[in-house]
Amino acid sequence: MAGKHLVLIGAGMTGRGQVAQLAHEDGWSLTLVDRDKALVDVLRRAGAYTVRLLGEPTREVRISGYQVLHVDETEALAAAVTRADLVVTSVLEPNLPAVGETLSRALEPRLAERTPRPLNVVAAENMSDSSTVLAGHVRRQLDGADRSALDARIGFPNSMIARVVPVAGDPLFILTEAFSEWTADRQAAIGPPPALAGLEWVDNQAARLQRKLFIHNAGHAVCGYLGWLRGHRLIDRAARDPEVMAAIVQATSEAGEAISQEHGFDRQIIRAYEENLRSRLVVDALPDDIRRVIRQPLRKLGRDERLLGPLRLCERHGLPSTGLCRGIAAVLACRMPGDAQFEQMAAAVGAVGPVAALIDLVGYRPSPAAAAAIEEAWAELSPDAGAAP
């Protein structure tokens, strides 16, 4: 494994606290890239940072020997991408268009090589089809010849990544859970997928993504939105609230049953996956701000996202979904002043009510039973319920 080189675009919490940590321990050399000049300067001056992994036992990993670049250092970034064996992004969905522009420039020398060398770019974002989305942004920046070379030489395998990495007060010391899950679609890779311990190349990426998104992310979402409504500001404190935990158990159990029926997962394996999430949520040594979990509520109410996605599976298989409907109602009831998506959602709910707003905002009409459950839960949870149409 010596000599393998990874370029990480997005040196934030997940990037450095999971992707870089796994690659460093597996012997890869690293180039860290970020647009935050202050962070780049700190990482460059220090030459190392530490990741503390909370588990049994807790351990610390010192990550050093990396190169760190600002996104504007175009020549150095192009050189790093040219020698890379794998490129990974960890930037959050709204930043993917800018990354596509940056990456298109950085790929030009590699695309111009006479002897083609395949490269895979994995967007390790908390969303569906993130690498496919990134590929679209890159292609839009290229002309016909480079687009053809991109399609032939550069793979964009979709990915799923899971680990709680809260925002750190000290950029040189990251506190995270030891649990890590990271998969990428082997079938979308170009050339032999590079081996990296902790990155699992799978042939059922869609199923693995749904398992993670519809159980792990759904449980976090229910904990976050319902916890916020009950006055909690940290995930572990919300998870220790019996009412919140009961809602998490119900929603993830419903999602787990739907996932089992849709993809044929062994139900015992899915139950263990659900229970693993619940046990991790209550760990108080990892203070996770609920605001991090509940931001971008409209994206998280997407048709294929963490709450409507499993609800749709439940409807397809004729399964109960009351817990998931309560989670959706909690999203629609939440308010966070100053957040544009929350303000848009609040205006829509205030104008037409929760279910009609859901239809207008995300284009999904729940079944009559689910609609009734969402309305009932919203009326209980929302401080605005009395004023709704």
Side-chain angles (χ1 to χ4, degrees):
M1 184 55 66
K4 292 288 187 179
H5 184 70
L6 183 143
V7 174
L8 173 64
I9 301 176
M13 293 298 99
T14 296
R16 287 187 295 122
Q18 185 172 8
V19 175
Q21 175 259 317
L22 292 171
H24 176 78
E25 288 205 274
D26 198 39
W28 288 59
S29 63
L30 296 168
T31 294
L32 309 178
V33 184
D34 207 88
R35 67 179 182 181
D36 184 337
K37 290 183 178 180
L39 177 61
V40 167
D41 288 343
V42 167
L43 291 172
R44 188 174 281 161
R45 285 196 304 268
Y49 68 93
T50 298
V51 178
R52 176 178 290 173
L53 299 154
L54 297 177
E56 298 293 339
T58 292
R59 64 189 184 92
E60 291 188 357
V61 179
R62 185 174 185 271
I63 297 171
S64 60
Y66 52 75
Q67 177 186 30
V68 58
L69 300 173
H70 188 266
V71 290
D72 290 341
E73 296 179 82
T74 54
E75 291 186 8
L77 177 53
V81 169
T82 298
R83 70 176 186 273
D85 298 285
L86 181 66
V87 174
V88 178
T89 77
S90 180
V91 298
L92 300 179
E93 180 185 12
N95 300 308
L96 285 177
V99 170
E101 184 175 351
T102 297
L103 190 54
S104 68
R105 293 193 301 267
L107 283 168
E108 286 178 359
R110 189 156 186 156
L111 295 178
E113 291 178 339
R114 292 188 176 183
T115 303
R117 290 180 299 135
L119 174 68
N120 289 289
V121 177
V122 173
E125 311 297 343
N126 198 9
M127 59 181 284
S128 302
D129 302 329
S130 53
S131 299
T132 300
V133 170
L134 177 59
H137 293 309
V138 174
R139 290 186 88 255
R140 279 190 284 275
Q141 302 295 324
L142 302 175
D143 62 21
D146 280 345
R147 284 185 181 181
S148 297
L150 182 84
D151 294 341
R153 304 180 189 183
I154 312 299
F156 288 87
N158 284 318
S159 174
M160 176 277 295
I161 193 162
R163 171 183 274 178
V164 174
V165 191
V167 175
D170 179 356
L172 300 178
F173 186 85
I174 296 175
L175 187 67
T176 181
E177 62 178 349
F179 172 86
S180 176
E181 186 179 11
W182 187 16
T183 67
D185 185 0
R186 187 199 319 272
Q187 297 183 24
I190 290 187
L196 190 163
L199 169 58
E200 183 183 0
W201 293 92
V202 299
D203 296 315
N204 63 339
Q205 176 63 19
R208 292 291 293 271
L209 174 64
Q210 284 196 349
R211 185 180 75 167
K212 182 260 183 178
L213 193 61
F214 294 175
I215 298 175
H216 178 281
N217 291 70
H220 264 95
V222 172
C223 185
Y225 290 105
L226 190 58
W228 181 268
L229 288 170
R230 288 179 58 79
H232 302 292
R233 294 300 178 261
L234 294 174
I235 284 293
D236 65 280
R237 293 182 184 176
R240 291 198 296 272
D241 180 326
E243 181 172 322
V244 175
M245 181 52 76
I248 295 168
V249 169
Q250 184 177 12
T252 55
S253 295
E254 291 168 354
E257 183 61 38
I259 284 288
S260 294
Q261 293 200 23
E262 179 73 9
H263 295 293
F265 285 116
D266 183 276
R267 193 64 185 93
Q268 293 302 115
I269 292 174
I270 292 295
R271 285 199 185 96
Y273 194 83
E274 297 165 20
E275 291 166 3
N276 175 269
L277 167 68
R278 297 164 194 160
S279 67
R280 287 159 41 222
L281 286 173
V282 299
V283 176
D284 59 4
L286 198 65
D288 194 7
D289 191 326
I290 283 180
R291 288 171 295 185
R292 182 192 72 84
V293 176
I294 67 174
R295 64 192 176 192
Q296 297 183 297
L298 294 182
R299 177 174 73 82
K300 291 169 183 174
L301 282 176
R303 290 168 55 90
D304 298 314
E305 269 286 346
R306 59 210 68 198
L307 293 170
L308 278 181
L311 172 62
R312 292 173 64 203
L313 284 189
C314 287
E315 291 177 343
R316 180 183 303 167
H317 293 284
L319 298 170
S321 60
T322 305
L324 290 165
C325 290
R326 186 172 182 81
I328 293 164
V331 181
L332 293 165
C334 269
R335 301 291 179 265
M336 188 185 294
D339 184 293
Q341 286 198 11
F342 274 104
E343 290 172 0
Q344 180 184 355
M345 184 174 67
V349 172
V352 298
V355 172
L358 183 67
I359 296 168
D360 291 344
L361 291 168
V362 302
Y364 182 68
R365 184 181 298 275
S367 68
I374 292 168
E375 292 273 7
E376 181 179 353
W378 183 85
E380 174 196 340
L381 294 171
S382 176
D384 303 329

